[in-house]
Amino acid sequence: MPGGNMRANGRPANNSWEAVQSKTFTKWVNARLGEHSLGPLDDICTDFSDGTALIQLLEIIGDASLGRFNRSPRMRIQKVEN
């Protein structure tokens, strides 16, 4: 079978492209947040989990306020609300 290192969906079996995409997107997000003196993200999967960094990014991109949100969510329901 040619390309024996392929998955059933036709994508390469190695996940190096996912790491590259994640690193690239993280750099782009940090550049946008840095323009407004907001702290850098290390890992978008964990740093977006509570919703605060994502809301701040969306407000920067959209140039509009998204309203009130919990700035320091502790409980899961607060994170989901964000």
Side-chain angles (χ1 to χ4, degrees), residues 13 17 21 28 33 51 79:
W17 66 273
Q21 291 295 317
W28 180 81
L33 293 176
K79 293 177 182 182

Side-chain angles (χ1 to χ4, degrees), residues 2-23:
N5 200 15
M6 301 290 276
R7 293 185 195 156
N9 62 4
R11 290 189 176 158
N14 65 12
N15 292 333
S16 64
W17 66 273
E18 289 177 2
V20 170
Q21 291 295 317
S22 177
K23 186 176 177 182

